[in-house]
């Protein structure tokens, strides 16, 4: 047993070392190659060591069945893990990596935002990480004279994005610009992407100064999240 313990300890050390190296070089491996490596590392190797150093005697049929069972079980586990992470990757791609509050359509004041049923549907699709059927139209209404402004959209998103969008780094700002360009539009014109960086900087400064506190309050009420 002591000898077997030393062998397993050495194997565990090598496994952790290889996994660390694998983590550093993961971008060069495909999912298939990574799966094969993990099956060899965590299925074939331990089972082979067990049969080599076990005091019991096993038939060829028992050994073959053991390998087949363990490989199938581990492969199914890997499939579940890969499927989960692939779905997460698709989710993040659809919404540029942002996570949103869950909104209730019945709590949203459609008149305040000037939303129609299509806008509400696409807003709910956005907050649930689903592809857009159409862009959400931002309209100026009698209740809110600022809804035609890009800064209105920034405040709107700051309230529904988990963690907000205030003072983001450059990479996240690029994702935000893509999200706005792909998911939002004004009633009579498309949003000009080239204006987003400067508008965002002005919005951050104005938000820091408290200039949008009143707007944030009424948008929160309009979304039913106040």
């Amino acid at each position: 047993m002591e000898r077997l313990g030393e062998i397993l300890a050495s194997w565990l050390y090598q496994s952790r070392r290889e996994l660390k190296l694998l983590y550093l070089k993961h971008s060069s491996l495909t999912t298939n190659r990574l799966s094969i490596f993990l099956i060899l590392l965590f299925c074939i190797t331990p089972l082979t060591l067990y049969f080599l150093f076990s005091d019991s005697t096993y038939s060829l049929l028992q050994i073959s069945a053991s390998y087949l069972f363990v490989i199938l079980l581990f492969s199914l586990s890997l499939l579940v893990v890969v499927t989960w992470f692939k779905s997460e990757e698709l989710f993040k791609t659809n919404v540029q990596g942002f996570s949103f509050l869950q909104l209730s359509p019945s709590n949203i004041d459609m008149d305040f935002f000037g939303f129609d049923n299509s806008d509400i549907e696409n807003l709910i699709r956005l907050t649930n990480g689903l592809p857009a059927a159409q862009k959400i139209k931002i309209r100026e209404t009698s209740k809110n004279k600022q809804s035609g402004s890009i800064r209105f959209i920034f405040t709107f998103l700051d309230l529904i994005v988990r963690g907000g969008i205030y003072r983001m780094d450059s990479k996240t700002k690029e994702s935000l610009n893509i999200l706005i360009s792909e998911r939002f539009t004004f009633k009579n014109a498309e949003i000009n992407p080239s204006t987003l960086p400067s508008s965002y900087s002005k919005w951050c400064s104005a938000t820091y100064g408290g200039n949008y506190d009143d707007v944030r309050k009424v948008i929160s009420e309009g979304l039913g999240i106040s």
Side-chain angles (χ1 to χ4, degrees):
M1 291 296 292
E2 183 178 355
R3 176 59 179 162
L4 179 59
E6 290 177 355
I7 292 174
L8 290 176
S10 177
W11 168 78
L12 181 59
Y13 165 76
Q14 291 295 332
S15 298
R16 293 180 63 186
R17 180 175 177 274
E18 291 299 324
L19 284 174
K20 183 66 174 178
L21 293 172
L22 187 64
Y23 173 76
L24 296 174
K25 301 177 180 179
H26 73 282
S27 58
S28 63
L29 292 174
T30 63
T31 302
N32 289 335
R33 288 182 179 178
L34 179 59
S35 299
I36 292 172
F37 174 82
L38 292 175
I39 289 173
L40 289 173
L41 185 63
F42 291 106
C43 291
I44 304 299
T45 301
L47 202 56
T48 300
L49 288 173
Y50 172 78
F51 285 126
L52 285 176
F53 296 97
S54 175
D55 295 331
S56 303
T57 302
Y58 298 92
S59 66
L60 182 60
L61 180 60
Q62 288 175 313
I63 294 173
S64 300
S66 298
Y67 276 110
L68 182 61
F69 175 76
V70 171
I71 290 173
L72 285 175
L73 183 62
F74 199 78
S75 297
L76 287 174
S77 300
L78 281 177
L79 179 61
V80 172
V81 172
V82 169
T83 301
W84 171 261
F85 280 103
K86 288 293 184 183
S87 68
E88 284 293 294
E89 183 179 328
L90 288 173
F91 176 84
K92 291 180 178 179
T93 299
N94 281 330
V95 292
Q96 296 300 320
F98 293 104
S99 177
F100 296 86
L101 300 178
Q102 293 302 301
L103 302 176
S104 172
S106 60
N107 291 335
I108 298 174
D109 187 342
M110 295 177 63
D111 292 334
F112 172 80
F113 294 105
F115 286 160
D116 56 23
N117 290 331
S118 175
D119 294 316
I120 294 293
E121 178 186 348
N122 283 292
L123 177 59
I124 298 304
R125 291 177 70 87
L126 170 68
T127 56
N128 284 278
L130 300 173
Q134 296 175 327
K135 291 184 178 182
I136 302 167
K137 291 185 178 65
I138 303 299
R139 302 173 177 88
E140 183 177 293
T141 70
S142 57
K143 289 187 175 183
N144 190 345
K145 297 298 185 181
Q146 300 184 45
S147 60
S149 166
I150 187 63
R151 298 182 202 178
F152 180 90
I153 298 179
F154 288 138
T155 304
F156 180 85
L157 288 173
D158 193 45
L159 289 168
I160 67 173
V161 171
R162 294 189 186 277
I165 63 168
Y166 179 74
R167 298 295 190 197
M168 298 184 301
D169 57 43
S170 57
K171 185 175 182 180
T172 313
K173 280 192 289 186
E174 291 178 6
S175 297
L176 177 67
N177 293 344
I178 295 173
L179 178 73
I180 292 174
S181 298
E182 291 183 347
R183 293 300 190 110
F184 293 88
T185 183
F186 293 130
K187 180 180 179 180
N188 298 316
E190 289 293 319
I191 295 171
N192 185 354
S194 63
T195 65
L196 293 177
S198 59
S199 296
Y200 176 78
S201 297
K202 293 175 182 177
W203 173 81
C204 285
S205 298
T207 299
Y208 179 78
N211 295 4
Y212 288 109
D213 288 352
D214 290 341
V215 177
R216 293 176 66 87
K217 181 180 180 181
V218 293
I219 292 178
S220 296
E221 293 174 351
L223 290 170
I225 59 175
S226 57

